């Protein structure tokens, strides 16, 4: 049976490459790509996964901008990464080195006029949330934020009210349908870069008619980032989070030790960020990062609605809190009512070392 | 001197545990405590601080929606806004694209030097309106701002933005659109004398039609449902039991 269906799929593929299905109109999607250190970001690859779930015959172009060797390397990563990427578009220019919304939105506008995409997708990262709505307004369409499920080509599910309700929306507008997707809902398939598919063709975007003047109303000055060798919060397999009960930045070091042992990323509640224990890009919640790791361990976290919004889709949730009535226990798979200052050292001692 | 326009939205209070209507059409909003969207409070506070620092002469608050939006505007006036505009759009939901078009029309009339909004409303969680108005006006945008410094002479704003992986600093020419993140400031409370004073401030009422904006939507809500419930968990008695269960039962260690 299995081999039979594979054969059928293959035959359909071959058939459709000769004469495209007359029923299905051609769907082409533009994915706005982010890259870092020569690699396409995992969140962008999730956006490709989302694009591929819209339709089997989706022709997916991924757009990468910037300049220099980091761009070149990311372009070859994109070209070879996924058999479903049909084209890599390269916008090579110094003015795209940094993701300023004004230039990027104009670039998207330019590409839409040229190629008439049916979908324009990006991850719900700070990059995507900054740029995509701006370009949508310029194209006079309503964008859809933070999609967690694509039910039909124009039917989507997205969380509202901090994830306390799910809203199914139908897009009834004209092309392009523009959306940002929640990366944790569209996991990247484990396809090896060296698997036997042809690299996608790479084409340079002609930026000669790109009006540089009007794009210069904004200038990028600097990025202050926290360097860490721990996994990125958004994609980590394990996340350990601390709340106000950690009491100080010093005590957060205890949590960091535990994270190191587990190969985990460190997260925080708004209270911990506001108290200055950790920088704000570690905040998990409605207004911070959305995570869905295999294991989420919350220490001294009460479980406010806004925090739960950012972690409720984790596979296994562990809560350690002195207060047995803390709302976090209502979503935790395993709860331990105890003092975190006793529990963390004990965990450090007893948890098996990660390789 | 420069005028600042601030958009404020009336939403279900952030502390309310919301309920989905039985017919799955929407979230229940009748007989529920409503407040100004927290990010809008921060936007208004920032505008007031800029005015108090002498870089702006007037702060105008705008809200779009049903009649009850005047309560939200009254709060804005009590916090210190000079006057308010209520765009009465009736009871139907107004989506960000329409809100952005209405705001563009008001901007063209009021000619502010700065438009400040919250980064997102805590009901629809869209995070779109500010970016969309900026796009329609072709103004530069400083989204997710955690610090704003105005240079009056050069007509430039330096905006520190909360982005994935850290803080980004950009410089944008005025007029511009700024959307506020949580850490930009701590909004003030309205004092009783100010609440009294707010009663004599004006709220101008207009309709989308007055602004020649047609309310239409290319998004249709099909249904609103409860998210799947997590099954009840277990309380463990010791660290040993926790490790054991994470290892052997959940297999995540």
């Amino acid at each position: 049976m299995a081999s039979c269906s594979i054969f059928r799929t293959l035959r359909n593929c071959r058939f459709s490459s000769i004469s495209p299905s007359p029923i299905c109109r051609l769907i082409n999607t533009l994915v706005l790509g982010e890259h870092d250190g020569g690699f396409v970001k995992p969140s962008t690859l999730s956006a490709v996964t989302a694009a591929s779930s819209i339709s089997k015959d989706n022709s997916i172009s991924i757009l990468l901008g910037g300049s220099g060797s980091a761009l070149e390397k990311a372009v070859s990563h994109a070209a070879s990464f996924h058999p479903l990427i049909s084209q890599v578009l390269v916008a090579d220019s110094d003015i795209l080195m940094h993701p300023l919304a004004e230039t990027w939105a104009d670039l998207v506008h330019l590409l839409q006029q040229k190629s008439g995409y049916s979908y324009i997708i990006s991850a719900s990262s700070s990059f995507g949330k900054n740029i995509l709505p701006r370009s949508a307004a310029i194209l006079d369409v309503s964008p859809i934020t933070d999609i967690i499920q694509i039910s039909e080509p124009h039917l989507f599910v997205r969380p509202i009210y901090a994830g306390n309700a799910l809203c199914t929306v139908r897009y009834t507008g004209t092309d392009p349908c523009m959306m940002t997707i929640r990366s944790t809902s569209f996991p990247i398939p484990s396809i090896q870069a060296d698997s036997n598919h042809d690299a996608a063709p790479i084409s340079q975007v002609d930026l000669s008619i790109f009006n540089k003047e009007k794009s210069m109303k904004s200038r990028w000055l600097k990025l202050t980032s926290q360097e860490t060798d721990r996994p990125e919060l958004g994609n980590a397999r394990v996340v350990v989070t601390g709340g106000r009960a950690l009491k100080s930045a010093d005590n957060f070091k205890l949590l960091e030790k535990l994270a190191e042992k587990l190969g985990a990323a460190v997260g925080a509640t708004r209270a911990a960020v506001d108290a200055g224990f950790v920088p704000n890009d570690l905040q998990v919640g409605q207004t911070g990062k959305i995570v869905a790791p295999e294991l989420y361990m919350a220490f001294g976290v009460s479980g406010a609605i806004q925090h739960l919004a950012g972690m409720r889709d984790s596979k296994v949730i562990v809560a350690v809190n002195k207060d047995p009535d803390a709302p976090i226990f209502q979503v935790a798979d395993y709860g331990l009512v105890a003092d975190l200052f006793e529990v963390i050292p004990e965990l450090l001692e007893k948890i098996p070392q990660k390789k | 001197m420069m005028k600042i326009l601030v958009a404020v939205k009336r939403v279900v209070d952030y502390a309310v545990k919301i309920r989905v209507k039985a017919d799955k059409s929407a979230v229940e909003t009748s007989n529920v405590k409503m407040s100004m969207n927290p990010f809008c409070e921060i936007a208004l506070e920032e505008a007031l601080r800029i005015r108090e620092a002498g870089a702006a002469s007037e702060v105008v608050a705008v809200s779009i929606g049903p009649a009850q939006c005047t309560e939200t505007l009254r709060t804005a006036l009590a916090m210190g806004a000079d006057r308010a505009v209520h765009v009465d759009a009736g009871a139907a939901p107004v989506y960000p694209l329409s809100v952005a078009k209405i705001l563009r029309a008001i901007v063209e009339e009021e000619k502010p030097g700065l438009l400040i909004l919250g980064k997102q409303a805590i009901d629809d969680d869209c995070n779109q309106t500010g970016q969309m108005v900026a796009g329609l006006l072709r103004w530069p945008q400083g989204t997710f701002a955690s610090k704003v410094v105005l240079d009056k002479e050069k007509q430039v704003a330096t905006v520190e933005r909360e982005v994935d992986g850290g803080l980004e600093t950009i410089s944008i020419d005025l007029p511009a659109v700024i959307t506020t993140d949580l850490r930009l400031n701590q909004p003030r409370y309205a004092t009783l004398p100010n609440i009294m004073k707010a009663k004599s401030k004006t709220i101008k009422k207009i309709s989308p039609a007055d602004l020649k904006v047609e309310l239409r939507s290319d998004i249709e809500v099909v249904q609103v449902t409860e998210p799947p419930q997590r099954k009840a968990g277990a309380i463990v008695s010791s660290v040993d039991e926790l490790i054991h269960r994470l290892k052997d039962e959940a297999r995540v260690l």
Side-chain angles (χ1 to χ4, degrees):
Chain A
M1 278 303 276
S3 64
C4 187
S5 73
I6 287 169
F7 176 66
R8 201 166 51 224
T9 318
L10 278 176
R11 200 180 48 188
N12 280 351
C13 279
R14 243 180 247 143
F15 178 71
S16 68
S17 69
I18 302 162
S19 70
S21 156
I23 309 149
C24 248
R25 73 197 172 100
L26 186 70
I27 292 182
N28 58 340
T29 298
L30 178 67
V31 172
L32 309 186
E34 285 174 89
H35 59 99
D36 184 32
F39 293 96
V40 178
K41 283 195 180 177
S43 56
T44 296
L45 299 172
S46 289
V48 173
T49 306
S52 68
S53 74
I54 295 170
S55 154
K56 280 206 178 69
D57 308 317
N58 197 346
S59 144
I60 303 171
S61 302
I62 178 166
L63 168 67
L64 294 172
S67 67
S69 60
L71 176 67
E72 262 172 54
K73 222 180 134 211
V75 165
S76 62
H77 178 219
S80 62
F81 172 76
H82 202 297
L84 292 167
I85 297 176
S86 18
Q87 185 179 210
V88 183
L89 296 173
V90 186
D92 189 341
S93 167
D94 287 342
I95 58 166
L96 293 162
M97 273 292 277
H98 303 294
L100 287 167
E102 295 75 22
T103 23
W104 274 86
D106 286 347
L107 174 63
V108 171
H109 188 206
L110 178 80
L111 289 170
Q112 178 62 24
Q113 283 178 326
K114 201 173 135 239
S115 304
Y117 294 101
S118 10
Y119 293 86
I120 299 179
I121 306 181
S122 116
S124 289
S125 54
S126 55
F127 166 89
K129 286 191 284 196
N130 188 36
I131 291 163
L132 194 120
R134 184 180 177 101
S135 16
I138 291 171
L139 295 165
D140 197 25
V141 298
S142 282
I144 305 169
T145 300
D146 222 13
I147 287 169
I148 58 168
Q149 192 192 319
I150 299 173
S151 313
E152 283 170 29
H154 277 159
L155 196 66
F156 312 105
V157 180
R158 58 177 302 266
I160 54 174
Y161 287 90
N164 288 296
L166 298 179
C167 185
T168 305
V169 293
R170 187 187 307 280
Y171 180 69
T172 57
T174 53
D175 284 354
C177 174
M178 297 181 73
M179 55 185 162
T180 65
I181 58 101
R182 180 173 287 193
S183 314
T184 53
S185 301
F186 297 94
I188 310 160
S190 49
I191 293 169
Q192 294 304 308
D194 57 15
S195 63
N196 56 344
H197 62 84
D198 297 331
I202 296 165
S203 64
Q204 299 283 333
V205 177
D206 179 8
L207 297 171
S208 57
I209 60 158
F210 199 54
N211 188 342
K212 287 187 187 185
E213 277 309 301
K214 75 174 174 201
S215 311
M216 294 315 284
K217 284 180 187 170
S218 67
R219 293 151 297 273
W220 185 91
L221 301 178
K222 65 172 180 184
L223 176 70
T224 321
S225 61
Q226 307 283 333
E227 288 304 325
T228 122
D229 35 9
R230 275 194 296 275
E232 203 196 320
L233 187 53
N235 315 304
R237 202 186 66 83
V238 181
V239 173
V240 295
T241 293
R244 199 202 309 264
L246 260 291
K247 291 200 182 102
S248 73
D250 265 354
N251 289 337
F252 244 90
K253 299 234 162 66
L254 209 59
L255 213 59
E256 285 167 16
K257 262 195 204 150
L258 182 63
E260 225 154 274
K261 195 151 186 196
L262 290 165
V266 172
T269 63
R270 183 187 170 196
V273 172
D274 283 352
F277 302 165
V278 285
N280 47 33
D281 54 315
L282 296 191
Q283 185 179 330
V284 171
Q286 183 182 22
T287 67
K289 296 255 163 53
I290 312 286
V291 301
E294 279 181 41
L295 173 60
Y296 188 87
M297 302 181 86
F299 295 91
V301 171
S302 64
I305 296 171
Q306 291 78 11
H307 182 73
L308 300 183
M311 46 66 83
R312 65 192 306 153
D313 293 329
S314 306
K315 233 186 230 145
V316 176
I317 298 173
V318 171
V320 177
N321 202 307
K322 269 201 292 200
D323 175 10
D325 298 325
I328 188 84
F329 286 122
Q330 288 162 22
V331 299
D333 299 283
Y334 302 104
L336 180 55
V337 182
D339 186 346
L340 65 95
F341 291 109
E342 285 164 20
V343 172
I344 296 178
E346 203 180 334
L347 280 170
L348 275 170
E349 195 184 304
K350 291 176 175 169
I351 279 179
Q353 183 71 46
K354 277 270 151 192
K355 54 266 145 199
Chain B
M1 216 180 356
M2 185 173 85
K3 188 192 288 183
I4 304 178
L5 198 68
V6 181
V8 296
K9 185 177 183 183
R10 176 178 177 267
V11 299
V12 171
D13 188 86
Y14 75 96
V16 169
K17 188 163 178 2
I18 57 116
R19 279 179 304 116
V20 170
K21 284 186 185 172
D23 67 358
K24 295 185 177 176
S25 62
V27 164
E28 188 61 69
T29 53
S30 51
N31 297 318
V32 171
K33 187 185 178 199
M34 307 289 280
S35 304
M36 189 189 293
N37 179 43
F39 290 99
C40 302
E41 284 186 342
I42 296 169
L44 180 59
E45 175 67 33
E46 194 63 19
L48 298 175
R49 288 185 189 191
I50 293 169
R51 188 192 63 195
E52 284 157 6
S57 54
E58 193 185 26
V59 172
V60 183
V62 185
S63 194
I64 300 156
Q68 298 94 314
C69 285
T70 50
E71 293 161 24
T72 311
L73 288 171
R74 213 43 92 182
T75 307
L77 294 170
M79 279 174 73
D82 297 288
R83 59 189 170 86
V85 179
H86 174 213
V87 183
D88 196 336
V94 190
Y95 294 97
L97 183 58
S98 297
V99 173
K101 287 179 179 175
I102 290 171
L103 289 174
R104 169 177 63 181
I106 296 176
V107 162
E108 280 163 357
E109 206 172 288
E110 297 274 353
K111 302 199 166 34
L114 200 54
L115 169 61
I116 314 184
L117 307 87
K119 78 162 175 182
Q120 78 192 62
I122 59 163
D123 52 0
D124 63 24
D125 282 333
C126 276
N127 196 331
Q128 298 172 345
T129 306
Q131 294 89 312
M132 295 180 86
V133 203
L136 293 175
L137 289 165
R138 297 287 182 167
W139 283 8
Q141 68 191 50
T143 51
F144 326 143
S146 58
K147 192 177 174 193
V148 176
V149 179
L150 281 188
D151 186 328
K152 245 168 74 184
E153 303 298 307
K154 292 189 186 138
Q155 285 291 296
V156 158
T158 305
V159 181
E160 218 171 81
R161 309 179 53 233
E162 293 199 7
V163 296
D164 301 339
L167 284 175
E168 181 186 77
T169 314
I170 60 170
S171 155
I172 51 180
D173 294 343
L174 300 184
V177 175
I178 287 173
T179 73
T180 61
D181 217 314
L182 275 176
R183 269 160 290 273
L184 180 58
N185 60 47
Q186 190 65 49
R188 69 195 64 187
Y189 290 104
T191 58
L192 188 60
N194 284 341
I195 293 170
M196 300 311 289
K197 233 168 49 190
K199 291 187 176 169
S200 58
K201 294 182 181 173
T202 55
I203 299 179
K204 183 173 140 194
K205 192 171 153 173
I206 50 174
S207 73
D210 296 334
L211 297 164
K212 299 187 175 60
V213 177
E214 186 202 348
L215 293 184
R216 59 174 179 86
S217 178
D218 44 11
I219 288 178
E220 179 194 313
V221 172
V222 177
Q223 66 167 13
V224 175
T225 54
E226 303 258 5
Q229 293 295 313
R230 290 187 76 95
K231 63 172 171 42
I235 295 290
V236 297
S237 56
S238 67
V239 170
D240 287 318
E241 191 194 343
L242 177 64
I243 293 178
H244 162 73
R245 295 185 73 163
L246 287 178
K247 245 202 224 154
D248 301 333
E249 197 176 88
R251 295 171 188 279
V252 284
L253 272 190

